[in-house]
Amino acid sequence: MGWLEREGFDFDLYAETQFHDGLLKLDDYRVLLIGTHPEYWSRKMYLELKDWVQRRGGKLIYLGGNGLNCDVELRPDDTM
């Protein structure tokens, strides 16, 4: 985030749970940058991201490793 700030890029920061819950609206953005080790994603999150990139023109910058490979269930009580 320091690099983004130093280079003058505007950005918003979201948690994975906010994406799952629909608080992050990908269509409001041109680019999604995913940071380190974003492993635990729900199927809903994965399918939304895939559709945004493949059908709606979204751009993904993936800077993590070993990620987006676990289909987890995010429960209303904030447990997995």
Coordinates of all heavy atoms in Angstrom, one line a residue:
M1 N 0.8 -1.2 0.0 CA 0.0 0.0 0.0 C 0.9 1.3 0.0 O 0.5 2.3 -0.6 CB -0.9 0.0 1.2 CG -2.0 -1.0 1.1 SD -3.3 -1.0 2.4 CE -2.3 -1.4 3.8
G2 N 2.0 1.1 0.6 CA 3.0 2.3 0.6 C 3.4 2.7 -0.8 O 3.4 3.9 -1.1
W3 N 3.6 1.7 -1.6 CA 4.0 2.0 -3.0 C 2.8 2.6 -3.7 O 3.1 3.6 -4.5 CB 4.4 0.7 -3.7 CG 4.8 0.9 -5.2 CD1 6.0 1.3 -5.6 CD2 3.9 0.8 -6.3 NE1 5.9 1.5 -7.0 CE2 4.7 1.1 -7.4 CE3 2.6 0.4 -6.5 CZ2 4.1 1.1 -8.7 CZ3 2.1 0.4 -7.8 CH2 2.8 0.7 -8.9
L4 N 1.6 2.2 -3.6 CA 0.5 2.8 -4.2 C 0.3 4.2 -3.8 O 0.1 5.1 -4.6 CB -0.8 2.0 -3.9 CG -0.9 0.6 -4.5 CD1 -2.1 -0.1 -3.8 CD2 -1.1 0.7 -6.0
E5 N 0.5 4.5 -2.5 CA 0.4 5.9 -2.0 C 1.5 6.7 -2.5 O 1.3 7.9 -3.0 CB 0.5 5.8 -0.4 CG -0.8 5.3 0.2 CD -0.6 5.1 1.7 OE1 0.5 5.2 2.2 OE2 -1.7 4.9 2.4
R6 N 2.7 6.2 -2.5 CA 3.9 7.0 -3.0 C 3.8 7.3 -4.5 O 4.1 8.4 -4.9 CB 5.2 6.2 -2.7 CG 6.4 7.0 -3.1 CD 7.7 6.2 -2.7 NE 7.8 5.0 -3.6 CZ 7.8 3.8 -3.1 NH1 7.6 3.5 -1.8 NH2 7.9 2.8 -3.9
E7 N 3.2 6.4 -5.2 CA 3.1 6.7 -6.7 C 1.8 7.4 -7.0 O 1.5 7.7 -8.2 CB 3.1 5.3 -7.4 CG 4.4 4.6 -7.3 CD 5.6 5.4 -7.8 OE1 5.5 6.0 -8.9 OE2 6.6 5.4 -7.2
G8 N 1.0 7.8 -6.0 CA -0.2 8.6 -6.3 C -1.4 7.8 -6.8 O -2.4 8.5 -7.3
F9 N -1.5 6.5 -6.6 CA -2.7 5.8 -7.0 C -3.7 5.8 -5.9 O -3.4 5.7 -4.7 CB -2.3 4.3 -7.2 CG -1.5 4.0 -8.4 CD1 -0.1 3.8 -8.3 CD2 -2.0 4.0 -9.7 CE1 0.7 3.6 -9.4 CE2 -1.3 3.8 -10.8 CZ 0.1 3.6 -10.7
D10 N -5.0 6.1 -6.3 CA -6.1 6.0 -5.4 C -6.5 4.5 -5.3 O -6.5 3.8 -6.2 CB -7.3 6.8 -5.9 CG -7.1 8.3 -5.9 OD1 -6.3 8.8 -5.0 OD2 -7.6 9.0 -6.8
F11 N -6.8 4.1 -4.0 CA -7.2 2.7 -3.9 C -8.1 2.6 -2.7 O -8.2 3.5 -1.8 CB -6.0 1.8 -3.7 CG -5.2 2.1 -2.4 CD1 -5.5 1.4 -1.3 CD2 -4.1 3.0 -2.4 CE1 -4.7 1.6 -0.1 CE2 -3.4 3.2 -1.3 CZ -3.7 2.6 -0.1
D12 N -8.9 1.5 -2.7 CA -9.7 1.2 -1.5 C -9.2 -0.2 -1.0 O -8.7 -1.0 -1.8 CB -11.2 1.1 -2.0 CG -11.8 2.4 -2.4 OD1 -11.4 3.4 -1.8 OD2 -12.5 2.4 -3.4
L13 N -9.4 -0.4 0.2 CA -9.0 -1.7 0.8 C -10.2 -2.4 1.4 O -11.0 -1.9 2.1 CB -8.0 -1.4 2.0 CG -7.4 -2.6 2.7 CD1 -6.6 -3.4 1.8 CD2 -6.6 -2.1 3.9
Y14 N -10.4 -3.7 1.0 CA -11.5 -4.5 1.4 C -10.9 -5.8 2.0 O -9.9 -6.4 1.5 CB -12.4 -4.9 0.2 CG -13.2 -3.7 -0.3 CD1 -12.7 -2.9 -1.3 CD2 -14.5 -3.5 0.3 CE1 -13.5 -1.8 -1.7 CE2 -15.3 -2.4 -0.2 CZ -14.8 -1.6 -1.2 OH -15.5 -0.6 -1.7
A15 N -11.6 -6.4 2.9 CA -11.4 -7.8 3.3 C -12.1 -8.8 2.5 O -13.1 -8.4 1.8 CB -11.8 -7.9 4.8
E16 N -11.7 -10.0 2.4 CA -12.3 -11.0 1.6 C -13.8 -11.2 2.0 O -14.7 -11.4 1.2 CB -11.6 -12.4 1.8 CG -10.3 -12.5 1.1 CD -9.1 -12.1 2.0 OE1 -9.3 -11.5 3.1 OE2 -8.0 -12.5 1.7
T17 N -14.1 -11.1 3.3 CA -15.5 -11.2 3.8 C -16.4 -10.1 3.2 O -17.5 -10.4 3.0 CB -15.5 -11.2 5.3 OG1 -14.9 -10.1 5.8 CG2 -14.9 -12.5 5.9
Q18 N -15.8 -8.9 3.0 CA -16.6 -7.9 2.4 C -16.9 -8.2 1.0 O -18.0 -7.8 0.5 CB -15.9 -6.5 2.6 CG -15.8 -6.0 4.0 CD -14.9 -4.8 4.1 OE1 -13.7 -4.8 3.8 NE2 -15.5 -3.7 4.6
F19 N -16.0 -8.8 0.3 CA -16.3 -9.2 -1.1 C -17.4 -10.3 -1.1 O -18.3 -10.2 -1.9 CB -15.0 -9.7 -1.7 CG -15.1 -10.2 -3.2 CD1 -16.0 -9.6 -4.0 CD2 -14.2 -11.1 -3.7 CE1 -16.1 -10.0 -5.3 CE2 -14.3 -11.5 -5.0 CZ -15.2 -11.0 -5.8
H20 N -17.2 -11.3 -0.3 CA -18.2 -12.3 -0.2 C -19.6 -11.8 0.2 O -20.6 -12.2 -0.4 CB -17.8 -13.4 0.9 CG -18.8 -14.4 1.1 ND1 -18.9 -15.5 0.2 CD2 -19.8 -14.6 2.0 CE1 -19.9 -16.3 0.7 NE2 -20.5 -15.7 1.7
D21 N -19.7 -10.8 1.1 CA -20.9 -10.3 1.5 C -21.6 -9.3 0.5 O -22.6 -8.8 0.8 CB -20.8 -9.6 2.9 CG -20.5 -10.6 4.0 OD1 -20.8 -11.8 3.8 OD2 -20.0 -10.2 5.0
G22 N -20.8 -9.0 -0.6 CA -21.4 -8.1 -1.6 C -21.1 -6.6 -1.3 O -21.6 -5.7 -2.0
L23 N -20.3 -6.3 -0.3 CA -19.9 -4.9 -0.1 C -18.9 -4.3 -1.1 O -18.9 -3.1 -1.3 CB -19.4 -4.7 1.4 CG -20.4 -5.1 2.5 CD1 -19.7 -5.1 3.8 CD2 -21.6 -4.2 2.5
L24 N -18.1 -5.2 -1.7 CA -17.2 -4.8 -2.7 C -17.9 -5.0 -4.1 O -18.2 -6.2 -4.4 CB -15.9 -5.6 -2.7 CG -15.0 -5.6 -3.9 CD1 -14.6 -4.1 -4.3 CD2 -13.8 -6.4 -3.7
K25 N -18.2 -4.0 -4.8 CA -18.9 -4.1 -6.1 C -17.8 -4.0 -7.1 O -17.3 -2.9 -7.4 CB -19.9 -3.0 -6.3 CG -20.9 -2.9 -5.2 CD -21.9 -4.0 -5.2 CE -23.0 -3.8 -4.2 NZ -23.6 -5.0 -3.7
L26 N -17.4 -5.1 -7.7 CA -16.3 -5.1 -8.7 C -16.5 -4.1 -9.9 O -15.6 -3.5 -10.4 CB -16.0 -6.5 -9.2 CG -15.4 -7.5 -8.2 CD1 -15.2 -8.8 -8.8 CD2 -14.1 -6.9 -7.7
D27 N -17.8 -4.0 -10.3 CA -18.1 -3.1 -11.4 C -17.8 -1.7 -11.1 O -17.8 -0.9 -12.1 CB -19.5 -3.3 -11.9 CG -19.7 -4.7 -12.5 OD1 -18.8 -5.2 -13.2 OD2 -20.8 -5.3 -12.3
D28 N -17.6 -1.3 -9.9 CA -17.2 0.1 -9.5 C -15.7 0.3 -9.8 O -15.3 1.5 -9.6 CB -17.5 0.4 -8.1 CG -19.0 0.4 -7.8 OD1 -19.8 0.5 -8.7 OD2 -19.4 0.4 -6.6
Y29 N -15.0 -0.7 -10.2 CA -13.5 -0.6 -10.3 C -13.1 -1.1 -11.7 O -13.7 -2.0 -12.3 CB -12.8 -1.4 -9.2 CG -13.1 -0.9 -7.8 CD1 -14.2 -1.4 -7.1 CD2 -12.4 0.1 -7.3 CE1 -14.5 -0.9 -5.9 CE2 -12.7 0.6 -6.0 CZ -13.7 0.1 -5.3 OH -14.0 0.6 -4.1
R30 N -11.9 -0.6 -12.1 CA -11.3 -1.1 -13.4 C -10.3 -2.3 -13.1 O -10.1 -3.1 -13.9 CB -10.6 0.0 -14.1 CG -11.5 1.0 -14.6 CD -10.9 2.2 -15.4 NE -9.5 2.0 -15.7 CZ -8.5 2.9 -15.5 NH1 -8.8 4.0 -15.0 NH2 -7.3 2.7 -15.8
V31 N -9.7 -2.2 -11.9 CA -8.6 -3.1 -11.5 C -8.8 -3.6 -10.1 O -9.2 -2.9 -9.2 CB -7.2 -2.4 -11.6 CG1 -6.1 -3.4 -11.2 CG2 -7.0 -1.9 -13.0
L32 N -8.6 -4.9 -9.9 CA -8.6 -5.5 -8.6 C -7.1 -6.0 -8.3 O -6.6 -6.8 -9.1 CB -9.6 -6.7 -8.4 CG -9.5 -7.4 -7.1 CD1 -10.0 -6.5 -6.0 CD2 -10.4 -8.7 -7.2
L33 N -6.5 -5.6 -7.3 CA -5.2 -6.0 -6.9 C -5.3 -6.9 -5.7 O -5.9 -6.5 -4.7 CB -4.3 -4.8 -6.6 CG -2.8 -5.2 -6.4 CD1 -2.0 -4.0 -6.9 CD2 -2.5 -5.4 -5.0
I34 N -4.9 -8.2 -5.8 CA -5.0 -9.1 -4.7 C -3.6 -9.3 -4.1 O -2.6 -9.6 -4.9 CB -5.6 -10.5 -5.1 CG1 -7.0 -10.3 -5.7 CG2 -5.6 -11.4 -4.0 CD1 -7.5 -11.5 -6.3
G35 N -3.5 -9.1 -2.8 CA -2.2 -9.2 -2.2 C -1.8 -10.6 -1.8 O -2.2 -11.6 -2.4
T36 N -1.0 -10.7 -0.8 CA -0.3 -12.0 -0.4 C -1.2 -13.0 0.2 O -2.1 -12.7 1.0 CB 0.8 -11.7 0.6 OG1 0.2 -11.1 1.8 CG2 1.9 -10.7 0.0
H37 N -1.1 -14.2 -0.3 CA -1.7 -15.4 0.2 C -3.2 -15.3 0.4 O -3.7 -15.6 1.5 CB -1.0 -15.8 1.6 CG -1.2 -17.3 1.9 ND1 -0.6 -18.2 1.1 CD2 -1.8 -17.9 2.9 CE1 -0.9 -19.4 1.6 NE2 -1.6 -19.2 2.7
P38 N -4.0 -15.0 -0.6 CA -5.4 -14.9 -0.5 C -6.1 -16.3 -0.7 O -6.7 -16.6 -1.7 CB -5.8 -14.0 -1.7 CG -4.7 -14.3 -2.7 CD -3.5 -14.6 -1.9
E39 N -5.8 -17.2 0.2 CA -6.2 -18.6 0.0 C -7.6 -18.9 0.2 O -8.2 -19.7 -0.6 CB -5.3 -19.4 1.0 CG -5.5 -20.9 0.7 CD -4.5 -21.7 1.6 OE1 -3.7 -21.2 2.3 OE2 -4.7 -22.9 1.5
Y40 N -8.3 -18.4 1.2 CA -9.6 -18.8 1.6 C -10.7 -18.0 1.0 O -11.1 -17.0 1.5 CB -9.7 -18.9 3.1 CG -8.7 -19.8 3.7 CD1 -7.5 -19.2 4.3 CD2 -8.7 -21.1 3.5 CE1 -6.6 -20.0 4.9 CE2 -7.7 -22.0 4.0 CZ -6.7 -21.4 4.7 OH -5.7 -22.2 5.2
W41 N -11.2 -18.5 -0.2 CA -12.3 -17.8 -0.9 C -13.5 -18.8 -1.0 O -13.3 -20.0 -1.1 CB -11.8 -17.5 -2.3 CG -11.0 -16.2 -2.4 CD1 -10.1 -15.7 -1.5 CD2 -11.2 -15.2 -3.4 NE1 -9.6 -14.5 -1.9 CE2 -10.2 -14.2 -3.1 CE3 -11.9 -15.1 -4.5 CZ2 -10.1 -13.0 -3.8 CZ3 -11.8 -13.9 -5.3 CH2 -10.9 -12.9 -5.0
S42 N -14.6 -18.1 -1.0 CA -15.9 -18.9 -1.2 C -16.0 -19.1 -2.8 O -15.5 -18.4 -3.6 CB -17.1 -18.2 -0.6 OG -17.3 -17.0 -1.3
R43 N -16.8 -20.1 -3.1 CA -17.2 -20.3 -4.5 C -17.8 -19.1 -5.1 O -17.6 -18.7 -6.3 CB -18.1 -21.5 -4.6 CG -18.5 -21.8 -6.1 CD -19.2 -23.1 -6.2 NE -18.4 -24.3 -5.8 CZ -17.5 -24.9 -6.5 NH1 -17.3 -24.5 -7.8 NH2 -16.8 -25.9 -6.1
K44 N -18.7 -18.4 -4.3 CA -19.4 -17.2 -4.8 C -18.4 -16.1 -5.2 O -18.5 -15.5 -6.2 CB -20.3 -16.7 -3.6 CG -20.9 -15.4 -3.9 CD -21.7 -15.0 -2.7 CE -22.3 -13.6 -2.8 NZ -23.0 -13.1 -1.6
M45 N -17.3 -15.9 -4.4 CA -16.3 -14.9 -4.6 C -15.5 -15.3 -5.9 O -15.3 -14.4 -6.8 CB -15.3 -14.8 -3.5 CG -15.9 -14.3 -2.2 SD -14.9 -14.7 -0.8 CE -13.4 -13.8 -1.1
Y46 N -15.1 -16.6 -6.0 CA -14.4 -17.0 -7.2 C -15.2 -16.8 -8.5 O -14.7 -16.3 -9.5 CB -14.0 -18.5 -7.1 CG -13.4 -19.0 -8.3 CD1 -12.1 -18.7 -8.6 CD2 -14.1 -19.8 -9.2 CE1 -11.5 -19.2 -9.8 CE2 -13.6 -20.3 -10.3 CZ -12.2 -20.0 -10.7 OH -11.7 -20.5 -11.8
L47 N -16.5 -17.2 -8.5 CA -17.3 -17.1 -9.7 C -17.5 -15.6 -10.1 O -17.6 -15.3 -11.2 CB -18.6 -17.9 -9.5 CG -18.4 -19.4 -9.4 CD1 -19.8 -20.0 -9.1 CD2 -17.8 -20.0 -10.7
E48 N -17.7 -14.8 -9.1 CA -17.9 -13.4 -9.3 C -16.7 -12.8 -10.0 O -16.8 -12.0 -10.9 CB -18.3 -12.6 -8.0 CG -18.3 -11.1 -8.2 CD -19.5 -10.6 -9.0 OE1 -20.4 -11.3 -9.4 OE2 -19.4 -9.4 -9.4
L49 N -15.5 -13.1 -9.4 CA -14.3 -12.6 -10.0 C -14.0 -13.1 -11.4 O -13.7 -12.3 -12.3 CB -13.1 -13.0 -9.1 CG -11.7 -12.6 -9.6 CD1 -11.6 -11.0 -9.6 CD2 -10.6 -13.2 -8.7
K50 N -14.3 -14.3 -11.6 CA -14.1 -14.9 -12.9 C -15.0 -14.2 -14.0 O -14.6 -13.9 -15.1 CB -14.4 -16.4 -12.9 CG -14.2 -17.2 -14.2 CD -14.5 -18.6 -14.0 CE -14.4 -19.4 -15.3 NZ -14.6 -20.8 -15.1
D51 N -16.3 -14.0 -13.6 CA -17.2 -13.4 -14.5 C -16.8 -11.9 -14.8 O -16.8 -11.4 -15.9 CB -18.6 -13.4 -13.9 CG -19.6 -12.8 -14.9 OD1 -19.9 -13.5 -15.9 OD2 -20.2 -11.7 -14.6
W52 N -16.3 -11.2 -13.7 CA -15.9 -9.8 -13.9 C -14.7 -9.7 -14.8 O -14.7 -8.8 -15.7 CB -15.6 -9.3 -12.5 CG -15.1 -7.9 -12.5 CD1 -15.9 -6.8 -12.7 CD2 -13.8 -7.4 -12.2 NE1 -15.1 -5.6 -12.6 CE2 -13.8 -6.0 -12.2 CE3 -12.6 -8.0 -11.8 CZ2 -12.7 -5.2 -12.0 CZ3 -11.5 -7.2 -11.5 CH2 -11.6 -5.8 -11.6
V53 N -13.8 -10.6 -14.8 CA -12.6 -10.6 -15.6 C -12.9 -11.1 -17.0 O -12.6 -10.4 -18.0 CB -11.4 -11.5 -15.1 CG1 -10.3 -11.6 -16.1 CG2 -10.9 -10.8 -13.8
Q54 N -13.6 -12.2 -17.2 CA -13.8 -12.8 -18.5 C -15.0 -12.2 -19.3 O -14.9 -12.2 -20.5 CB -14.1 -14.3 -18.3 CG -12.9 -15.0 -17.9 CD -13.1 -16.5 -17.8 OE1 -14.3 -17.0 -17.8 NE2 -12.0 -17.3 -17.6
R55 N -16.0 -11.6 -18.6 CA -17.1 -11.1 -19.4 C -17.4 -9.6 -19.2 O -18.0 -9.0 -20.1 CB -18.4 -11.8 -18.9 CG -18.3 -13.3 -19.1 CD -19.6 -14.0 -18.6 NE -19.5 -15.4 -18.5 CZ -19.7 -16.3 -19.4 NH1 -20.1 -15.9 -20.6 NH2 -19.5 -17.6 -19.2
R56 N -16.8 -9.0 -18.2 CA -17.2 -7.6 -17.9 C -16.0 -6.7 -18.0 O -16.1 -5.5 -17.7 CB -17.9 -7.5 -16.5 CG -19.1 -8.3 -16.5 CD -20.0 -8.3 -15.3 NE -19.5 -7.9 -14.1 CZ -19.5 -8.6 -13.0 NH1 -19.8 -9.9 -13.0 NH2 -19.1 -8.1 -11.8
G57 N -14.9 -7.2 -18.4 CA -13.7 -6.3 -18.7 C -12.8 -6.0 -17.5 O -12.0 -5.1 -17.6
G58 N -13.0 -6.6 -16.4 CA -12.2 -6.3 -15.2 C -10.8 -6.8 -15.4 O -10.5 -7.7 -16.1
K59 N -9.9 -6.1 -14.8 CA -8.5 -6.4 -14.8 C -8.0 -6.9 -13.4 O -8.3 -6.2 -12.4 CB -7.6 -5.2 -15.2 CG -8.0 -4.6 -16.5 CD -7.8 -5.5 -17.7 CE -8.1 -4.8 -19.0 NZ -8.9 -5.5 -19.8
L60 N -7.3 -8.0 -13.4 CA -6.8 -8.6 -12.1 C -5.3 -8.6 -12.0 O -4.7 -9.0 -13.0 CB -7.3 -10.1 -12.0 CG -6.8 -10.9 -10.8 CD1 -7.3 -10.3 -9.5 CD2 -7.2 -12.3 -10.9
I61 N -4.8 -8.0 -10.9 CA -3.4 -8.1 -10.6 C -3.3 -9.0 -9.4 O -3.8 -8.7 -8.4 CB -2.8 -6.7 -10.3 CG1 -2.9 -5.8 -11.5 CG2 -1.3 -6.8 -9.9 CD1 -2.5 -4.4 -11.2
Y62 N -2.6 -10.1 -9.6 CA -2.5 -11.1 -8.6 C -1.0 -11.2 -8.1 O -0.1 -11.6 -8.8 CB -2.9 -12.5 -9.1 CG -2.8 -13.6 -8.1 CD1 -3.7 -13.7 -7.1 CD2 -1.8 -14.5 -8.1 CE1 -3.6 -14.7 -6.1 CE2 -1.7 -15.5 -7.2 CZ -2.6 -15.6 -6.2 OH -2.5 -16.6 -5.2
L63 N -0.8 -10.7 -6.9 CA 0.6 -10.6 -6.3 C 0.8 -11.7 -5.2 O 1.8 -11.6 -4.5 CB 0.8 -9.2 -5.7 CG 0.7 -8.1 -6.7 CD1 0.9 -6.7 -6.0 CD2 1.7 -8.2 -7.9
G64 N -0.2 -12.6 -5.0 CA -0.1 -13.5 -4.0 C 0.5 -14.8 -4.5 O 1.0 -15.0 -5.6
G65 N 0.5 -15.8 -3.6 CA 0.9 -17.1 -3.9 C 0.0 -18.2 -3.2 O -0.5 -17.9 -2.1
N66 N -0.2 -19.3 -3.8 CA -1.0 -20.4 -3.3 C -2.4 -19.9 -2.9 O -2.8 -20.0 -1.8 CB -0.3 -21.0 -2.1 CG -1.0 -22.2 -1.6 OD1 -1.6 -23.0 -2.3 ND2 -1.0 -22.5 -0.3
G67 N -3.0 -19.2 -3.8 CA -4.3 -18.6 -3.5 C -5.4 -19.0 -4.3 O -5.3 -19.6 -5.4
L68 N -6.6 -18.6 -3.9 CA -7.9 -18.9 -4.6 C -8.1 -20.3 -4.9 O -8.6 -20.7 -5.9 CB -7.9 -18.1 -5.9 CG -7.6 -16.6 -5.8 CD1 -7.8 -15.9 -7.2 CD2 -8.4 -15.8 -4.8
N69 N -7.6 -21.2 -4.0 CA -7.7 -22.6 -4.2 C -8.5 -23.4 -3.2 O -8.6 -24.6 -3.2 CB -6.3 -23.2 -4.3 CG -5.5 -23.0 -3.1 OD1 -5.9 -22.4 -2.1 ND2 -4.3 -23.6 -3.0
C70 N -9.1 -22.7 -2.3 CA -9.9 -23.3 -1.2 C -11.3 -22.8 -1.3 O -11.6 -21.6 -1.1 CB -9.3 -23.1 0.1 SG -7.7 -23.9 0.4
D71 N -12.3 -23.7 -1.5 CA -13.7 -23.4 -1.5 C -14.2 -23.5 0.0 O -14.5 -24.5 0.5 CB -14.4 -24.4 -2.4 CG -15.9 -24.1 -2.5 OD1 -16.3 -23.0 -2.1 OD2 -16.6 -24.9 -3.0
V72 N -14.3 -22.3 0.6 CA -14.7 -22.3 2.0 C -16.1 -21.8 2.1 O -16.6 -21.1 1.2 CB -13.8 -21.4 2.9 CG1 -12.3 -21.9 2.9 CG2 -13.8 -20.0 2.5
E73 N -16.7 -22.1 3.2 CA -18.1 -21.6 3.5 C -17.9 -20.5 4.6 O -17.4 -20.7 5.7 CB -18.9 -22.7 4.1 CG -20.3 -22.2 4.5 CD -21.1 -23.3 5.2 OE1 -20.7 -24.5 5.1 OE2 -22.2 -23.0 5.7
L74 N -18.3 -19.3 4.3 CA -18.3 -18.2 5.2 C -19.6 -18.1 5.9 O -20.6 -17.9 5.2 CB -17.9 -16.8 4.5 CG -16.6 -16.8 3.8 CD1 -16.4 -15.5 3.0 CD2 -15.4 -17.0 4.8
R75 N -19.7 -18.2 7.2 CA -20.9 -18.3 7.9 C -21.3 -16.9 8.5 O -20.4 -16.1 8.7 CB -20.8 -19.3 9.0 CG -20.5 -20.7 8.5 CD -20.2 -21.6 9.7 NE -19.9 -23.0 9.2 CZ -20.5 -24.0 9.6 NH1 -21.4 -24.0 10.6 NH2 -20.2 -25.2 9.1
P76 N -22.6 -16.7 8.7 CA -23.0 -15.5 9.3 C -22.4 -15.1 10.6 O -22.3 -13.9 11.0 CB -24.6 -15.6 9.4 CG -24.9 -16.7 8.5 CD -23.7 -17.6 8.4
D77 N -21.9 -16.1 11.4 CA -21.3 -15.8 12.7 C -19.8 -15.5 12.6 O -19.1 -15.6 13.5 CB -21.6 -16.9 13.7 CG -21.0 -18.3 13.2 OD1 -20.4 -18.3 12.1 OD2 -21.1 -19.2 14.0
D78 N -19.4 -15.2 11.3 CA -18.0 -14.9 11.0 C -17.0 -16.1 11.3 O -15.8 -15.9 11.7 CB -17.5 -13.7 11.8 CG -18.2 -12.4 11.4 OD1 -18.6 -12.3 10.2 OD2 -18.5 -11.5 12.2
T79 N -17.5 -17.3 11.1 CA -16.6 -18.4 11.2 C -16.5 -19.1 9.8 O -17.3 -18.8 9.0 CB -17.1 -19.5 12.3 OG1 -18.3 -20.0 11.8 CG2 -17.2 -18.9 13.6
M80 N -15.5 -20.0 9.7 CA -15.4 -20.7 8.4 C -15.6 -22.2 8.7 O -15.2 -22.7 9.7 CB -14.0 -20.5 7.8 CG -13.8 -19.2 7.3 SD -12.2 -19.2 6.5 CE -12.1 -17.5 6.0

